[in-house]
Amino acid sequence: MSARIIDGKEFAGRLRARVAKQVDRVVAASGRKPGLAVVLVGEDPASSVYVRSKGKATLAAGMESFEHRLSADVGEDELIALVDRLNADPAVDGILVQLPLPRHIDERRVITRIDPDKDVDGFHPVNAGRLATGLEGFVPCTPLGCLMLLRDIHPHLAGLEAVVIGRSNIVGKPMGQLLLQESCTVTMTHSRTRDLAAHVRQADIVVAAVGIPGFVKAEWIKPGASVIDVGINRTDAGLVGDVDSAAAEVAGAITPVPGGVGPMTIAVLMRNTLVSAARREGVTLDDDL
Ligand SMILES: Nc1nc(=O)c2c([nH]1)NC[C@@H]1CN(c3ccc(C(=O)N[C@@H](CCC(=O)O)C(=O)O)cc3)C=[N+]21
């Protein structure tokens, strides 16, 4: 049996189209476009590529893009001052500070400085707390994109066994919260988990976010399970995920790398920016976002 390949790129394209359609409502109500500010410190090539594609997607959705490129040796206080200006700027609905930051900058200080109601990345501890307690806030783009793909495959997620591999604040932890909110039975696994294979074998849903190429073996996957591969690893063989490619022979559905979760991350960023603008302007949006 061969798995259904989940076309994240196509799904993301449709989400972006729904976002673009509703941007007009904010424009009509407020006389301005939703605005996303992206801050890039330094010139890491991969980060530059991501920032460029975020800017392009923002403009394509009919929103305003503000790009701030700072040199790698910028002082922490200067970065904080920029965040303060963006917090105070009424044209800015969303603020994204591209991670990772150079080592001399305290990432937590920068993230916690962002106004939680402009934190379209959902990285601020206030938004993590809102997610954990079921309050309205911003959910990190990658796990929310994964959930959208999973909902498409499983109209009834309740009661399914979900195994999350990886416990980062950016993917693993919020992914676990989202699946729990959907009434899945969630197992959080990580580098210290004993007999990871035994956990994965029980799973109807596997979300892999460890950053190690081919870490999740095909033999671990329960036949027919849905596999979401969050890994984006650059190897000599090109971009590869965290899941062994042979898993596509066992799974019921699986996301490819590239073309799976990555494009969803950017589409959800557009969605979160629109939602932020709508909240700030008192505009109602359709619930197909
Ligand atoms: N504050 C912050 N927010 C982020 O959301 C954030 C970040 N920092 N730092 C870096 C990671 C990485 N990230 C990706 C976005 C899109 C693709 C994507 O579109 N990937 C394409 C391929 C792109 C390629 O060829 O490299 C795909 O998987 O098909 C990948 C990775 C967002 N990140």
Side-chain angles (χ1 to χ4, degrees):
M1 199 194 61
S2 215
R4 163 183 164 194
I5 306 298
I6 302 165
D7 191 341
K9 197 171 170 180
E10 197 253 354
F11 197 105
R14 282 186 282 132
L15 173 57
R16 281 165 55 174
R18 295 198 297 280
V19 168
K21 236 175 84 189
Q22 295 185 55
V23 161
D24 297 342
R25 288 191 201 173
V26 174
V27 177
S30 67
R32 69 173 185 89
K33 297 175 177 182
L36 172 65
V38 175
V39 180
L40 175 63
V41 181
E43 269 142 46
D44 175 68
S47 289
S48 299
V49 170
Y50 294 142
V51 166
R52 205 170 314 124
S53 45
K54 284 165 186 171
K56 265 171 57 185
T58 307
L59 299 176
M63 305 193 288
E64 201 90 63
S65 170
F66 307 102
E67 264 184 44
H68 295 268
R69 291 166 180 273
L70 307 179
S71 90
D73 59 9
V74 70
E76 185 175 301
D77 289 340
E78 197 178 324
L79 178 56
I80 292 284
L82 172 59
V83 170
D84 286 343
R85 287 200 300 281
L86 297 173
N87 284 340
D89 186 342
V92 172
D93 299 290
I95 302 170
L96 180 148
V97 178
Q98 184 74 11
L99 302 180
L101 289 169
R103 281 215 323 269
H104 69 279
I105 294 176
D106 179 354
E107 221 159 78
R108 277 181 313 180
R109 180 167 174 237
V110 175
I111 296 302
T112 56
R113 192 74 169 208
I114 297 171
D115 178 348
D117 296 324
K118 292 189 176 189
D119 169 38
V120 288
D121 258 334
F123 293 171
H124 193 293
V126 163
N127 281 317
R130 286 168 170 165
L131 174 60
T133 57
L135 296 176
E136 192 166 272
F138 290 109
V139 176
C141 302
T142 299
L144 183 51
C146 294
L147 181 67
M148 289 176 178
L149 298 176
L150 285 168
R151 275 188 180 142
D152 192 53
I153 303 166
H154 301 277
H156 302 286
L157 283 167
L160 295 183
E161 294 282 337
V163 167
V164 179
I165 311 173
R167 53 174 152 178
S168 71
N169 291 332
I170 290 171
V171 182
K173 281 184 204 164
M175 189 75 249
Q177 295 290 354
L178 286 170
L179 291 166
L180 191 56
Q181 201 168 70
E182 297 289 329
S183 302
C184 289
T185 302
V186 180
T187 303
M188 296 295 305
T189 69
H190 46 77
S191 57
R192 310 277 295 267
T193 295
R194 279 183 284 155
D195 203 354
L196 178 58
H199 288 285
V200 174
R201 282 194 184 102
Q202 306 299 314
D204 304 302
I205 291 170
V206 180
V207 180
V210 283
I212 303 171
F215 179 76
V216 176
K217 307 301 174 206
E219 307 82 67
W220 302 357
I221 305 296
K222 177 161 103 174
S226 298
V227 178
I228 306 293
D229 190 347
V230 182
I232 298 189
N233 307 293
R234 274 160 224 285
T235 71
D236 296 338
L239 274 197
V240 303
D242 291 345
V243 180
D244 178 8
S245 57
E249 301 306 316
V250 188
I254 190 166
T255 58
V257 178
V261 172
M264 287 301 293
T265 299
I266 293 186
V268 174
L269 178 64
M270 301 301 108
R271 180 242 177 233
N272 282 356
T273 303
L274 171 62
V275 166
S276 178
R279 282 179 190 154
R280 284 157 44 79
E281 297 292 350
V283 171
T284 307
L285 300 173
D286 296 341
D287 43 39
D288 64 355
L289 289 178

